[in-house]
Amino acid sequence: MILLLTALSVSFTSCDNETEPGGTAVEKMAGDWWVTATIMQNGNEAGDSGAGHFRMYTYNTAANVPNEMWLEDGGNFRNYKVRVNVDYNARTFTTNDFVEGVRITEGKIMEGAATTPSGMPADSIVYMIQFDDDPNGLTYKVSGFRRTGFPNDDF
């Protein structure tokens, strides 16, 4: 009888949750994105990278802090995954220099600044990226919109 009462009291107290579930520290910057990469020369767009539209991802690190996040292309462009420095209030991100062979500059996420193929507003992402193994030392501009999940907005 005592064992039964103990088990019941544990089961009732284990359901008592005093913390509210919530998002991550970079919640408004995290997501799946449809983007394109454009070759840049002398600050101007100089041509398509040949990668077409591809999916990339931004998400929180295990530390779940507002000053860093992961940025990766999922192997859809140059197969990179890099931890970037974040200014969450400004919605900007960058690397200090080359990290894992990748340098990110001028990274920004703008709420509601993009229009999806179906004509709906979505968040916009843009950043410049360089690779230390690129024989031509090219800079690419990666830009696009947050994936909505609607079929008309997927490429």
Side-chain angles (χ1 to χ4, degrees):
M1 184 70 157
I2 294 174
L3 183 60
L4 179 61
L5 288 174
T6 304
L8 284 174
S9 67
V10 168
S11 67
F12 286 124
T13 58
S14 66
C15 293
D16 186 19
N17 187 356
E18 294 181 19
T19 59
E20 290 293 319
T24 66
V26 292
E27 178 176 14
K28 292 186 178 184
M29 295 179 74
D32 293 4
W33 305 87
W34 283 117
V35 296
T36 57
T38 306
I39 298 169
M40 301 295 289
Q41 289 180 340
N42 301 320
N44 297 309
E45 295 183 12
D48 185 11
S49 68
H53 298 287
F54 61 93
R55 233 170 125 176
M56 57 145 307
Y57 315 92
T58 55
Y59 50 95
N60 66 299
T61 63
N64 194 26
V65 292
N67 61 348
E68 66 182 21
M69 72 178 177
W70 287 107
L71 182 141
E72 74 165 286
D73 73 344
N76 294 314
F77 177 45
R78 291 279 306 262
N79 200 25
Y80 57 90
K81 178 180 177 181
V82 62
R83 187 183 323 228
V84 294
N85 302 313
V86 169
D87 179 336
Y88 189 69
N89 291 328
R91 304 287 191 266
T92 60
F93 56 93
T94 188
T95 58
N96 291 332
D97 199 1
F98 282 96
V99 176
E100 302 293 326
V102 176
R103 178 174 26 209
I104 305 289
T105 58
E106 302 176 50
K108 183 147 183 81
I109 293 174
M110 296 155 284
E111 293 183 46
T115 303
T116 67
S118 68
M120 298 302 297
D123 293 349
S124 171
I125 190 170
V126 63
Y127 59 95
M128 301 296 178
I129 187 167
Q130 294 174 299
F131 303 94
D132 66 356
D133 65 350
D134 190 315
N136 299 314
L138 295 175
T139 298
Y140 300 90
K141 176 182 176 182
V142 177
S143 60
F145 62 91
R146 187 184 306 270
R147 185 173 177 266
T148 65
F150 292 108
N152 293 341
D153 288 336
D154 288 347
F155 288 99

